[in-house]
């Protein structure tokens, strides 16, 4: 049974790695290309961020665990690159701790929630926002992700396969030691995840 569970975990991680859509990389490269003549310094910094993200996906996340600092860096880079694609009228806030214990945790655990927020929470026709926060309290990580739910982008399965998969992965990894609260009011989508972490 343990071997089956390990295989399932590896499969879930592979799906999560693949979930950072190739379209994201393609669109980001197109945006960087457009930036080269407008703001070459920003374009260069964006290429560095994209390169670090690809390295993280290809190599470091294969280990099954990562450090909080690397996960924060990945989330920061993802949000920064998404901002290249999104109009300034969309309010995007990311809050991560400046000081924290560099504990270990499973890689890419937060990405399905963040990608889901950008997929369903961005509109140029109506007011929209995405708020993401991460904090460490003792031996727990508390992650929150809130976004406006844009009705034109919502389908009957708006939670998506990604969220179903991440719930299964959470169950396999943490059993009953984690807390996941999802509040879908119809106009806003809110996620609060609390997971235990280990000293690195």
């Amino acid at each position: 049974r343990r071997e089956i569970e390990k295989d399932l975990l590896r499969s879930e991680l592979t799906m999560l790695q693949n979930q950072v859509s190739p379209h994201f990389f393609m669109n980001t490269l197109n945006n960087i290309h457009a930036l080269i003549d407008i703001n070459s310094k920003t374009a260069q910094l964006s290429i560095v961020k994209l390169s670090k993200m690809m390295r993280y996906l290809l190599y470091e996340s294969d280990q099954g665990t990562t450090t909080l600092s690397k996960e924060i860096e990945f989330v920061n880079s993802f949000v920064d690159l998404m901002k290249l694609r999104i109009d300034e009228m969309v309010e995007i806030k990311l809050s991560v701790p400046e000081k924290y214990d560099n504990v270990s945790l499973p890689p890419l655990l937060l990405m399905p929630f963040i990608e889901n927020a950008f997929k369903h929470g961005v509109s140029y026709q109506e007011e929209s926002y995405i708020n993401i926060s991460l904090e460490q309290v003792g031996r727990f990580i508390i992650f929150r992700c809130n976004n406006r739910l844009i009705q034109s982008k919502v389908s009957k399965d708006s939670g998506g396969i990604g969220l179903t998969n991440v719930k299964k992965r959470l169950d396999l990894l943490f059993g009953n030691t984690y807390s996941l609260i999802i509040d879908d009011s119809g106009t806003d989508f809110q996620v609060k995840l609390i997971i235990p972490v280990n000293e690195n």
Side-chain angles (χ1 to χ4, degrees):
R1 181 177 175 180
R2 288 182 180 178
E3 288 303 314
I4 291 172
E5 289 181 347
K6 286 180 182 178
D7 287 341
L8 283 172
L9 281 174
R10 282 192 286 268
S11 297
E12 294 294 337
L13 179 54
T14 300
M15 278 192 274
L16 287 167
Q17 288 170 318
N18 292 337
Q19 189 179 332
V20 180
S21 169
H23 290 101
F24 163 75
F25 290 106
M26 181 180 68
N27 291 332
T28 301
L29 285 170
N30 286 336
N31 287 324
I32 291 172
H33 181 265
L35 267 176
I36 289 172
D37 292 329
I38 301 169
N39 190 328
S40 60
K41 186 173 182 180
T42 300
Q44 290 172 352
L45 291 173
S46 299
I47 290 171
V48 171
K49 288 179 185 291
L50 189 61
S51 174
K52 287 181 178 179
M53 286 183 67
M54 294 180 75
R55 186 179 303 115
Y56 185 77
L57 286 169
L58 288 171
Y59 303 115
E60 297 188 39
S61 61
D62 278 342
Q63 303 304 312
T65 60
T66 188
T67 60
L68 182 56
S69 61
K70 290 176 181 176
E71 192 77 354
I72 287 175
E73 182 180 16
F74 186 88
V75 170
N76 266 316
S77 295
F78 180 85
V79 172
D80 284 345
L81 292 176
M82 287 300 292
K83 286 179 179 178
L84 295 177
R85 302 170 48 189
I86 295 174
D87 193 282
E88 290 182 358
M89 66 180 288
V90 180
E91 182 183 16
I92 300 173
K93 293 181 180 179
L94 173 62
S95 174
V96 296
E98 293 183 5
K99 294 183 179 180
Y100 50 85
D101 299 329
N102 198 20
V103 293
S104 61
L105 71 162
L108 302 173
L109 200 60
L110 312 178
M111 285 309 299
F113 302 113
I114 295 172
E115 285 198 301
N116 196 60
F118 278 98
K119 181 178 179 181
H120 299 291
V122 173
S123 172
Y124 303 132
Q125 284 75 46
E126 55 186 290
E127 183 181 346
S128 57
Y129 73 93
I130 297 172
N131 294 333
I132 302 165
S133 69
L134 186 69
E135 61 179 316
Q136 182 181 24
V137 179
R139 297 266 72 90
F140 290 90
I141 297 295
I142 302 174
F143 168 78
R144 293 180 176 90
C145 187
N146 308 327
N147 62 274
R148 180 77 181 271
L149 204 54
I150 307 304
Q151 294 304 314
S152 60
K153 296 186 176 184
V154 176
S155 63
K156 62 182 179 180
D157 61 342
S158 62
I161 294 174
L163 295 189
T164 301
N165 286 341
V166 81
K167 288 177 187 176
K168 292 178 182 176
R169 188 176 177 221
L170 286 166
D171 287 338
L172 286 171
L173 286 166
F174 303 113
N176 60 359
T177 64
Y178 79 96
S179 170
L180 175 63
I181 300 171
I182 296 178
D183 182 8
D184 180 359
S185 68
T187 58
D188 298 272
F189 194 85
Q190 301 182 25
V191 173
K192 181 180 180 181
L193 173 65
I194 303 175
I195 59 168
V197 289
N198 299 315
E199 292 185 7
N200 190 32

